[in-house]
Amino acid sequence: MPDLLVVKDLKTHIRMRHSTVEAVDGLSLTIKAGETVGLVGESGSGKSMTGMSIMRLLPPGGHRAGGTIALEGRDISAVSEREMRRIRGNDIAMVFQDPMTSLNPTMSIGEQIAESVRVHRGASATQGMERAADVLALVGMPKPKERLEAYPHQLSGGLRQRVVIAMALACEPRLLIADEPTTALDVTIQSQILDLLDDLKSRLNMAMLLITHDMGVIARCADRTMVMYAGRIVESADTPTVFRHMHHPYTQALLASIPDLDTDRNDVLYSIPGLPPDLSRPHQHACRFAPRCRFAQDLCRQEEPTLLAHDRNHEVACFFPVAGLFSTSGSADARRDWARPSGGAGDAPVAADQPLLVLDHVVKAFPITAGVLQRRVGSVKAVSDVSFSVSKGDTFGLVGESGCGKTTLGRLIVALEKPDSGSVRFGQDELSAMRGRLLRRKRRDVQLMFQDPYASLDPRMRISSTLREPLAVQHIGSRHDQDERMSQALSDVGLAPRSLGLYPHEFSGGQRQRIGLARALSLEPQLIVADEPVSALDASIQSQVLNLMRRLQNEKGLTYVLISHDLSVVRYLANRIGVMYLGKLIEIGTADDVYGAPAHPYTHGLLSAVPVADPMFARRKGVAIMGDLPSAVDPPSGCRFRTRCPRAAELCATTEPPLRPFGVSSHLAACHFPLETPLQPAAAGVSTDSPFLERRHPDHVNED
């Protein structure tokens, strides 16, 4: 099969005010028609800049400093900008990382898709809209013709991603560059998008360059994998070889740092020490990974290895290659043995008998208003009759798709929102009933770790001001006492004292996440609600943050409520897990119960969609959850999951299922036709008066 794209010795530089960033340094790759090549590595390794270089969409100051880019034998790196505009979107298309920022908020999605057809194919306005409807149907958009008039903000994240893919496919390109197409998406939406891309590639015989830091996505989709570090390719081979017989220590370390559903909670996750090198500084003719490599020797610090064939079709840039991470049988035990450092994390803290946090039949709805008088015309039912408890020193994981009410529940726990009914009790106090100064003082014990550390940190405030603010608001200590608390909080999260004088933009994503945790710790709380604490972080940085959270929990006796759509992360940190769907808690139990023997079809579907960093298992199809999350304004009658459930029957449409016990008293699920056999409450040792067996709250009866 002939090569569709050939890139030789590509060098891309970005001129800054005081330096030049060598973003891509001597990269070569080939992609054949119908082939998917995965480009994987940490943030800052040059992956996205490689895609931008091929598209000639470099940021200000960026330019190709060397090398060639040939498409079907034609050197497109030398063509004029006018000719490149004809190629871009027509022969080569790109799916950008964030669909919300890559879509025009002032144009309907139909107009945005039709625009490329009119520009490249000379289609009329009517023909453009017809083509837009066709490609929306091609990417699985529900009711495609009706969606043509919708605007980006009216669509969910998964539907926006489908729109971006439809825009890229409108002119049937030969090559698709997908830059982090599933970052921060729910596992169900991620699975749908990956299946869609794989299906379209086969149907259109389209080549794809898949850029991501998610090794599970690479294992599932890529035919060949190229591992990139500090602007250079360090390993390249077919995907099974890279995952099972890798030779570069960086590839080995990336895989070892990923928690999966089988990871032992008592293991410390392996994390790559240090940070990637600064690409604006000379590399001193040494191996760029040497400062972080556990196998580095003197030669690595004196010479830079070149990319050479180690085995047939397997290239590695390393003087001292390793012998792979997995055994030939693919045993996960081999991986854990390698990744386990000396001195494990130890057992999780023993939970006390008295719950620290109790949510009892909590209901929260947000009004929808319209007109000049802002009359109420409906409500978003964000949280609907949720009950659970968390013991001191425990970690409670809350999982579910975006829009299911997880974040709203977290805000109710920290009293940033008031429930419409029900109660939130912390210790002996009812937070939902507190007001004013009393509530403000109680918030010392309950802190929130926000999802996006960059958006939650004031870019105009130094870190010292950011950490001092909660101490000043709570009138804690003198300025000297506050300085000591701030220094201690930074020390706890592994940041140097000099960080106090810096601004948020001067830190990496993982460091900003540590700052958010330091701010939460500065008040010495008992409970921290962590909302997506590692979403969109590289695997190496993610493992550092997870290890840090476990260590601080053991040292300080912290209690966590962990909100995440990443089921592997929740499995590693949480003792007990609750599964939410459209405002309802539909399954709850220990991590072993929920993950080992899920009773609810929705839980089973979530677990089936988790990407696995092993090509042998990643390509096996699970029980997919079809369709999109229904609107929380008008949720389905009866069981809210019935519109997407393969086991739904007439009973599910008329009667809402109660939470019932399965196996043990702590494992409950709300399903008429569960995957496991339920027990009667008496047989399971559960009282019918238990607050965790669902009862319809008086204010909740007519909600639907």
Side-chain angles (χ1 to χ4, degrees):
M1 187 179 296
D3 294 330
L4 177 70
L5 179 75
V6 178
V7 179
K8 290 185 178 179
D9 198 28
L10 175 65
K11 295 183 179 181
T12 301
H13 294 174
I14 303 173
R15 285 190 290 266
M16 310 294 284
R17 180 175 298 181
H18 301 295
S19 61
T20 297
V21 177
E22 299 177 3
V24 183
D25 187 13
L27 177 141
S28 297
L29 65 84
T30 60
I31 307 178
K32 299 181 184 297
E35 181 184 36
T36 297
V37 173
L39 194 60
V40 67
E42 294 172 284
S43 296
S45 62
K47 308 185 304 297
S48 294
M49 208 54 61
T50 298
M52 293 295 190
S53 299
I54 296 172
M55 294 288 291
R56 278 183 41 185
L57 292 174
L58 294 171
H63 68 284
R64 181 179 56 85
T68 60
I69 303 169
L71 181 68
E72 295 183 310
R74 181 188 182 188
D75 186 0
I76 62 174
S77 59
V79 301
S80 66
E81 181 57 34
R82 181 177 182 180
E83 182 62 23
M84 190 63 200
R85 282 198 297 269
R86 293 178 183 156
I87 296 172
R88 190 188 302 127
N90 196 34
D91 298 316
I92 307 176
M94 189 165 186
V95 176
F96 294 93
Q97 182 169 350
D98 185 351
M100 194 59 184
T101 57
S102 59
L103 292 172
N104 189 333
T106 66
M107 293 175 62
S108 69
I109 63 172
E111 292 174 330
Q112 296 188 59
I113 298 172
E115 183 179 39
S116 63
V117 183
R118 295 200 308 269
V119 170
H120 292 293
R121 300 295 172 89
S124 65
T126 301
Q127 291 171 331
M129 294 300 282
E130 289 176 352
R131 177 59 179 164
D134 289 342
V135 291
L136 283 177
L138 183 67
V139 300
M141 175 72 74
K143 302 178 181 178
K145 291 185 178 180
E146 297 178 19
R147 300 283 188 177
L148 292 175
E149 301 301 321
Y151 287 84
H153 71 274
Q154 297 175 299
L155 304 178
S156 66
L159 292 183
R160 284 196 296 265
Q161 193 66 280
R162 291 174 186 267
V163 171
V164 172
I165 295 173
M167 290 176 62
L169 297 178
C171 295
E172 298 182 356
R174 302 295 310 280
L175 172 66
L176 179 68
I177 301 174
D179 187 4
E180 301 281 7
T182 59
T183 294
L185 290 180
D186 303 323
V187 290
T188 53
I189 305 301
Q190 180 186 66
S191 180
Q192 292 176 22
I193 295 298
L194 294 179
D195 285 343
L196 170 65
L197 289 174
D198 196 48
D199 178 60
L200 292 173
K201 185 195 73 169
S202 301
R203 290 164 61 183
L204 303 176
N205 194 32
M206 179 178 64
M208 183 163 63
L209 177 62
L210 179 60
I211 299 171
T212 182
H213 65 257
D214 192 327
M215 300 295 281
V217 171
I218 290 290
R220 177 171 175 172
C221 297
D223 301 306
R224 288 191 296 117
T225 298
M226 306 182 77
V227 183
M228 195 169 187
Y229 183 79
R232 306 199 71 177
I233 300 298
V234 297
E235 186 159 11
S236 175
D238 63 271
T239 299
T241 299
V242 168
F243 277 78
R244 293 180 172 275
H245 306 289
M246 76 287 294
H247 290 318
H248 201 284
Y250 178 60
T251 310
Q252 189 184 59
L254 279 179
L255 282 167
S257 61
I258 302 171
D260 57 30
L261 298 182
D262 296 323
T263 300
D264 191 332
R265 294 188 66 255
N266 291 324
D267 282 353
V268 175
L269 294 174
Y270 180 79
S271 59
I272 307 174
L275 295 171
D278 186 350
L279 297 182
S280 65
R281 297 179 180 179
H283 301 297
Q284 303 297 330
H285 301 290
C287 175
R288 303 178 185 193
F289 187 59
R292 308 174 69 192
C293 180
R294 62 200 294 262
F295 303 108
Q297 300 184 31
D298 290 342
L299 179 62
C300 307
R301 302 178 183 92
Q302 297 168 359
E303 297 182 27
E304 186 166 16
T306 56
L307 191 66
L308 299 173
H310 189 277
D311 299 316
R312 184 175 178 270
N313 298 325
H314 188 178
E315 297 179 317
V316 184
C318 183
F319 292 121
F320 305 101
V322 297
L325 179 59
F326 295 92
S327 67
T328 55
S329 63
S331 169
D333 293 335
R335 172 183 169 188
R336 286 198 292 268
D337 290 342
W338 185 92
R340 185 182 295 120
S342 59
D347 294 333
V350 178
D353 293 333
Q354 183 66 33
L356 180 68
L357 175 72
V358 177
L359 278 72
D360 188 18
H361 299 288
V362 173
V363 175
K364 179 65 180 179
F366 296 97
I368 300 174
T369 58
V372 177
L373 300 179
Q374 293 293 289
R375 292 195 177 102
R376 179 167 178 160
V377 296
S379 64
V380 177
K381 302 169 181 64
V383 177
S384 302
D385 202 11
V386 170
S387 299
F388 65 85
S389 68
V390 185
S391 298
K392 183 175 177 57
D394 206 348
T395 298
F396 185 85
L398 206 57
V399 301
E401 296 170 282
S402 296
C404 70
K406 305 188 303 295
T407 296
T408 299
L409 199 57
R411 293 175 64 86
L412 288 166
I413 292 172
V414 299
L416 289 178
E417 301 284 353
K418 296 291 182 183
D420 298 332
S421 61
S423 65
V424 179
R425 295 196 305 275
F426 180 77
Q428 302 299 320
D429 302 306
E430 187 170 331
L431 291 179
S432 52
M434 289 184 173
R435 299 290 186 276
R437 183 181 300 176
L438 185 62
L439 175 59
R440 188 165 60 248
R441 288 182 62 85
K442 196 62 183 175
R443 278 200 179 123
R444 297 181 184 181
D445 297 327
V446 185
Q447 289 291 299
L448 178 63
M449 188 174 169
F450 291 94
Q451 178 173 352
D452 185 349
Y454 194 69
S456 61
L457 296 174
D458 192 326
R460 298 167 297 178
M461 291 173 62
R462 297 181 189 271
I463 301 307
S464 58
S465 300
T466 297
L467 297 184
R468 190 184 304 278
E469 186 178 44
L471 299 173
V473 169
Q474 294 286 351
H475 305 290
I476 294 177
S478 64
R479 192 171 185 85
H480 177 72
D481 294 334
Q482 293 173 1
D483 288 340
E484 288 186 348
R485 279 210 185 198
M486 290 156 50
S487 298
Q488 182 60 48
L490 282 180
S491 175
D492 287 339
V493 299
L495 292 176
R498 63 177 292 272
S499 303
L500 291 170
L502 303 179
Y503 289 92
H505 72 271
E506 299 180 89
F507 296 90
S508 67
Q511 288 173 322
R512 287 195 291 266
Q513 197 66 275
R514 289 170 182 256
I515 292 168
L517 181 55
R519 179 182 167 100
L521 291 172
S522 63
L523 293 174
E524 299 180 355
Q526 299 180 52
L527 172 69
I528 292 180
V529 177
D531 189 2
E532 300 282 6
V534 294
S535 65
L537 291 181
D538 297 328
S540 57
I541 306 301
Q542 174 181 287
S543 63
Q544 293 176 11
V545 174
L546 295 178
N547 286 337
L548 172 64
M549 293 179 66
R550 285 288 299 274
R551 177 175 64 81
L552 291 174
Q553 183 177 45
N554 288 331
E555 292 177 356
K556 299 179 178 294
L558 292 172
T559 304
Y560 291 129
V561 173
L562 176 66
I563 298 171
S564 180
H565 65 255
D566 190 327
L567 278 76
S568 299
V569 168
V570 174
R571 175 69 179 88
Y572 176 69
L573 279 182
N575 308 93
R576 296 176 62 244
I577 293 170
V579 182
M580 284 193 74
Y581 184 79
L582 211 61
K584 300 286 292 185
L585 196 63
I586 61 173
E587 186 159 4
I588 184 172
T590 66
D592 290 338
D593 288 336
V594 172
Y595 282 73
H600 201 287
Y602 178 63
T603 308
H604 185 255
L606 288 179
L607 293 171
S608 299
V610 175
V612 180
D614 188 334
M616 177 181 291
F617 301 101
R619 297 169 193 256
R620 295 181 182 176
K621 300 290 184 182
V623 181
I625 299 176
M626 304 304 296
D628 293 294
L629 195 72
S631 171
V633 176
D634 185 22
S637 61
C639 174
R640 300 188 176 190
F641 183 60
R642 66 176 175 81
T643 57
R644 304 168 71 189
C645 181
R647 304 168 71 90
E650 184 178 350
L651 175 65
C652 304
T654 59
T655 306
E656 184 174 343
L659 282 169
R660 295 185 288 171
F662 290 81
V664 294
S665 59
S666 61
H667 187 193
L668 308 172
C671 183
H672 291 303
F673 305 101
L675 303 175
E676 299 288 327
T677 303
L679 299 179
Q680 295 299 319
V686 181
S687 168
T688 54
D689 295 328
S690 170
F692 307 112
L693 286 179
E694 185 176 36
R695 301 189 302 272
R696 300 291 286 175
H697 193 279
D699 295 335
H700 184 58
V701 171
N702 297 320
E703 182 189 74
D704 295 333

